[in-house]
Amino acid sequence: QAQLVESGGGVVQPGGSLRLSCAASGFTFNRYAMNWVRQSPRKGLEWVAFIRYDGGTEKYADSVKGRFTISRDNSKNTVYLQMNSLRLEDTAVYFCAKDTTQLWDHDAFDMWGQGTVVTVSS
Amino acid sequence: DIQMTQSPSTLSASVGDTVTITCRTSQNIISWLAWYQQKPGKAPKLLIYKASTLQSGVPSRFSGSGSGTEFTLTISSLQPDDFATYYCQQYNSNYPWTFGQGTKVEIK
C-alpha cells in the first residue's frame, strides 16, 4: 500500500547539519507536491517546506528560510530536507507529507510518514 | 501570516455525544481548510479537506462546515476511537500554511 518512510534524524549540536530523507511508494510520486511538517511541544504542528511535483517551486517557513533546503529526486521517489545551521528550537519530530491532489500546489496532506526525531543539543 | 484560533483547547465528552470544535482564521481563506486527527506517537490523519469534503475512508460521523474565517468540525455520536487531538490547518494560496493549536477530546 502507499506509504512514506522518513529517515535521517538524530542528535546534532547547534550549528550542525542533518539531511532527512522521505521514501515514497505505492503512488505516482512525480505527480504530487510534497511537504515537510514538524511538531514540538513548544510550537505544535508547524509547516516547514513545500516542493512542487516537478521540483519547480520551493516554499519555506520564515523560521527556516536560508537554512533548510527541500529537494526531490523523482527517479528515486524520494524527497529530502537538508538542514544547516541547526538551532535548539529546531528540535522536533519531522514528518514528510503528501498533497492530496495531483498536479496542484496548495492542498491538504492526505498521507504522512511516521516521523523522524531531530534533537539539537549541546 | 494567517493566524489560527482553535477552540476549545480541551473538551470532555462521553461516548455517544455530539461535539463541535471551532477554528477561526485571521484572514479569509475561502474554503482552504483541513481537519486532522492525531493520536499519541502517531502522525496526523486527514479527516476533512476543502472545509467540508470527507476524506476517503473516514466515517460519516465526522463533518466539516464553514467558509471565509469561521469553520467547525462536528463529530456525531462520539466513539471510543475518536478520543484524540484534532487540528485545523489553512492552506490558502499564500504561504505559509498554518495549524491551529489543537483540541484534545477527552473521556468525561
Side-chain angles (χ1 to χ4, degrees):
Chain A
Q1 73 279 20
Q3 64 174 353
L4 299 170
V5 179
E6 301 101 335
S7 60
V11 180
V12 61
Q13 291 187 335
S17 298
L18 275 178
R19 188 198 199 199
L20 307 183
S21 299
C22 171
S25 60
F27 64 96
T28 308
F29 180 73
N30 62 12
R31 297 182 71 83
Y32 292 91
M34 297 294 295
N35 302 268
W36 286 95
V37 177
R38 65 186 181 184
Q39 186 171 31
S40 65
R42 190 174 72 93
K43 296 195 74 177
L45 284 166
E46 181 185 17
W47 168 80
V48 172
F50 160 93
I51 187 165
R52 204 172 71 171
Y53 54 90
D54 59 358
T57 299
E58 302 163 27
K59 298 289 184 183
Y60 299 93
D62 285 347
S63 57
V64 307
K65 202 172 293 183
R67 300 187 298 122
F68 290 12
T69 303
I70 188 171
S71 62
R72 64 190 296 158
D73 185 339
N74 284 348
S75 68
K76 295 182 178 179
N77 289 352
T78 302
V79 61
Y80 304 97
L81 186 68
Q82 178 66 44
M83 304 186 296
N84 298 331
S85 303
L86 281 161
R87 304 168 179 169
L88 297 175
E89 56 264 34
D90 295 319
T91 295
V93 178
Y94 285 73
F95 298 98
C96 62
K98 167 189 165 290
D99 268 20
T100 301
T101 308
Q102 59 182 348
L103 307 178
W104 191 237
D105 63 358
H106 62 104
D107 212 349
F109 308 147
D110 69 342
M111 187 186 306
W112 297 62
Q114 83 285 358
T116 188
V117 178
V118 172
T119 303
V120 184
S121 173
S122 54
Chain B
D1 298 2
I2 297 175
Q3 307 304 313
M4 312 289 286
T5 304
Q6 190 176 337
S7 61
S9 55
T10 307
L11 190 161
S12 296
S14 302
V15 172
D17 286 351
T18 294
V19 300
T20 299
I21 300 169
T22 298
C23 185
R24 292 184 174 87
T25 60
S26 60
Q27 297 176 28
N28 183 350
I29 60 166
I30 311 173
S31 295
W32 300 116
L33 187 108
W35 291 97
Y36 299 89
Q37 176 194 69
Q38 188 178 32
K39 296 183 178 179
K42 301 293 188 181
K45 172 188 173 184
L46 179 63
L47 300 175
I48 302 281
Y49 61 98
K50 286 184 189 172
S52 61
T53 302
L54 192 68
Q55 170 67 355
S56 175
V58 174
S60 58
R61 63 180 179 273
F62 292 91
S63 63
S65 64
S67 65
T69 62
E70 187 155 340
F71 303 86
T72 59
L73 172 70
T74 300
I75 312 172
S76 303
S77 188
L78 202 64
Q79 298 300 299
D81 191 50
D82 301 338
F83 292 97
T85 301
Y86 295 84
Y87 296 91
C88 57
Q89 179 217 357
Q90 66 82 16
Y91 54 98
N92 195 33
S93 56
N94 296 322
Y95 300 84
W97 298 317
T98 45
F99 290 86
Q101 309 95 307
T103 295
K104 185 175 183 180
V105 177
E106 298 180 326
I107 301 174
K108 185 185 287 185

